[in-house]
Amino acid sequence: MSSLMYSLNVSGFSGRISPSLALRRSGPIVLSVKNSPEKIQGEFSGKQLRFSGWDQLLRRGGSVGIPVIKAAAAAADGGDQETHISEGLSIAEPPKSFLERYPALVTGFFFFAWYFLNVIFNILNKKVYNYFPYPYFVSVVHLLVGVTYCLISWSVGLPKRAPIDKDQLGLLTPVAACHALGHVMSNVSFAAVAVSFTHTIKALEPFFNAAASQFVLGHQIPLPLWLSLAPVVLGVSMASLTELSFNWLGFTSAMISNISFTYRSIYSKKAMTGMDSTNVYAYISIIALLFCLPPAILIEGPKLMQYGFRDAIAKVGLAKFVSDLFWIGMFYHLYNQIATNTLERVAPLTHAVGNVLKRVFVIGFSIVVFGNKISTQTGIGTAIAIAGVAIYSLIKANIEEQKRKTAEKA
């Protein structure tokens, strides 16, 4: 049998492009065939095909079989004919990994990790306050452990540190100042009252966000949003009136925390630096740590040196004391980082629902773990407040989604 002569010509492509892209482009792949039978199977060695990816494919598989359909007109003996292949030629896609095939499981894992780390942080944090009631110092520890984690991550390139200039530093400083104040005041409230009560008060944060948007930024807040906040205010009021652990220090510090985090959101919108969220949070943590150090030293420093550290070590031992401080700092940083990663994976509506459920989890687990007794009115008030937050979050998420769709159409 006479030998078969093959030549492959792909017009318009360089040897650097991938074969899958080449095959999708216009411009036929032409096989010149001599003395071809009705249907032949072409085999090409890796030396003849220099496209990126094909060479590796041929080394593994040995050869690539390409079905060639003869042209309608028969070729004369010894002559050349060109057969154009427009169908039936494809390169197998690499198999997807398990995580790529089931992205919902990955998102579910992020939500689980977010809730789990948040619940563990709140429980362990309150246990520390039961024998070491120094919230300013503990706030510094939270940020210090997180900053150390960020510096180590930067040193190994996970993630790569984004450079920061004077202008970006000026934009992030107000954000960090509000973050520091809100964080410290939250911890003051955690130390003074039950964890469940602090989170009930912090359910008022959407109310402060709406008020700041309307009266500070000048944004018009739709009436349905304002109406959805009424049960939040009512529920928090009911819970506060009969809360067994109520004191004004815990209540006012939680309210200051709400205001601080509201202004943090306002300044964050003005501080769009172009960095990824991980680097932004790392820089905010570093700057916030510098803000938290002076009050911790001035307010709690003398007490800590006189008897604070000594009493804590006497109660639980040095090893447990240091271990508890380290882990609450680590859980604080990780749950905030996981929360950021989770929000990047889901739509605003899903995030809104998830954030409400997170607060429900924290309140419920804290009551169970610490055995806090709550009155019937407090329980009803907490439920009303959480329901109000859920309604507000759903309405706001739908409004944002409608704005996004309108902008895309425009």
Side-chain angles (χ1 to χ4, degrees):
M1 176 180 286
S2 61
S3 61
L4 300 178
M5 300 296 295
Y6 298 85
S7 65
L8 179 64
N9 175 25
V10 182
S11 60
F13 298 106
S14 66
R16 284 294 181 185
I17 64 174
S18 66
S20 58
L21 178 60
L23 295 175
R24 293 191 186 99
R25 296 288 299 269
S26 61
I29 296 176
V30 181
L31 292 180
S32 296
V33 184
K34 286 185 178 181
N35 300 327
S36 60
E38 281 296 316
K39 189 171 182 180
I40 62 176
Q41 189 79 6
E43 294 191 356
F44 301 87
S45 70
K47 294 180 180 179
Q48 300 299 324
L49 297 178
R50 293 300 182 187
F51 294 108
S52 173
W54 282 32
D55 194 43
Q56 295 295 326
L57 177 64
L58 294 175
R59 288 179 184 175
R60 292 194 302 269
S63 64
V64 176
I66 304 178
V68 182
I69 307 302
K70 185 180 176 181
D77 290 341
D80 291 342
Q81 86 177 32
E82 289 188 346
T83 303
H84 294 256
I85 304 175
S86 59
E87 296 180 359
L89 180 60
S90 63
I91 301 300
E93 292 282 341
K96 292 183 178 181
S97 66
F98 178 81
L99 297 181
E100 290 175 333
R101 292 199 305 270
Y102 303 100
L105 292 180
V106 180
T107 302
F109 170 78
F110 272 92
F111 270 101
F112 171 78
W114 178 19
Y115 289 8
F116 175 79
L117 293 172
N118 192 273
V119 168
I120 296 299
F121 163 74
N122 279 277
I123 291 174
L124 185 56
N125 201 47
K126 184 62 177 179
K127 286 185 176 181
V128 170
Y129 284 135
N130 287 339
Y131 69 84
F132 188 69
Y134 298 95
Y136 289 88
F137 177 79
V138 172
S139 298
V140 169
V141 171
H142 290 163
L143 294 171
L144 180 61
V145 174
V147 167
T148 303
Y149 178 91
C150 292
L151 294 177
I152 294 175
S153 299
W154 277 343
S155 66
V156 298
L158 296 172
K160 184 178 180 181
R161 186 183 71 83
I164 186 171
D165 56 29
K166 184 178 180 180
D167 293 336
Q168 291 173 327
L169 183 62
L171 291 173
L172 290 179
T173 298
V175 181
C178 293
H179 179 73
L181 180 59
H183 178 54
V184 170
M185 289 297 100
S186 293
N187 278 285
V188 171
S189 182
F190 285 139
V193 296
V195 173
S196 57
F197 182 56
T198 298
H199 278 278
T200 301
I201 300 172
K202 287 176 70 67
L204 280 173
E205 191 172 325
F207 173 82
F208 288 98
N209 284 333
S213 296
Q214 177 94 33
F215 302 112
V216 177
L217 297 179
H219 298 163
Q220 188 64 35
I221 302 299
L223 181 61
L225 273 182
W226 282 115
L227 294 177
S228 68
L229 290 171
V232 181
V233 176
L234 175 63
V236 171
S237 300
M238 289 178 60
S240 300
L241 289 174
T242 56
E243 170 60 38
L244 301 179
S245 67
F246 178 88
N247 64 55
W248 283 107
L249 176 62
F251 179 82
T252 55
S253 58
M255 294 293 281
I256 294 173
S257 173
N258 284 335
I259 297 172
S260 300
F261 286 138
T262 296
Y263 275 92
R264 181 187 66 179
S265 299
I266 293 174
Y267 286 121
S268 294
K269 293 177 181 178
K270 298 179 180 180
M272 302 301 291
T273 62
M275 292 185 201
D276 61 278
S277 58
T278 303
N279 274 289
V280 169
Y281 183 68
Y283 282 119
I284 289 176
S285 297
I286 294 171
I287 302 170
L289 176 61
L290 300 178
F291 279 114
C292 290
L293 278 171
I297 294 172
L298 295 174
I299 297 173
E300 295 179 345
K303 296 178 182 179
L304 289 171
M305 298 306 295
Q306 291 177 11
Y307 52 82
F309 291 127
R310 182 192 63 202
D311 291 350
I313 295 172
K315 291 177 181 178
V316 299
L318 178 61
K320 179 172 174 52
F321 177 56
V322 174
S323 174
D324 284 350
L325 291 178
F326 169 78
W327 283 113
I328 58 175
M330 183 59 69
F331 283 127
Y332 171 77
H333 180 81
L334 290 178
Y335 99 72
N336 277 286
Q337 190 60 66
I338 292 293
T340 302
N341 296 337
T342 303
L343 302 188
E344 292 177 344
R345 296 184 61 88
V346 298
L349 182 61
T350 306
H351 157 238
V353 175
N355 204 34
V356 173
L357 291 177
K358 180 210 72 175
R359 202 173 295 282
V360 173
F361 267 81
V362 172
I363 292 174
F365 273 97
S366 65
I367 292 173
V368 172
V369 171
F370 295 107
N372 296 331
K373 295 181 179 180
I374 61 172
S375 66
T376 302
Q377 183 174 323
T378 298
I380 294 174
T382 300
I384 292 174
I386 294 299
V389 172
I391 296 171
Y392 169 85
S393 300
L394 293 173
I395 294 175
K396 184 177 180 182
N398 281 324
I399 291 174
E400 294 296 327
E401 184 67 15
Q402 290 174 3
K403 288 181 180 179
R404 185 185 65 81
K405 290 181 178 179
T406 302
E408 288 180 352
K409 291 180 180 179

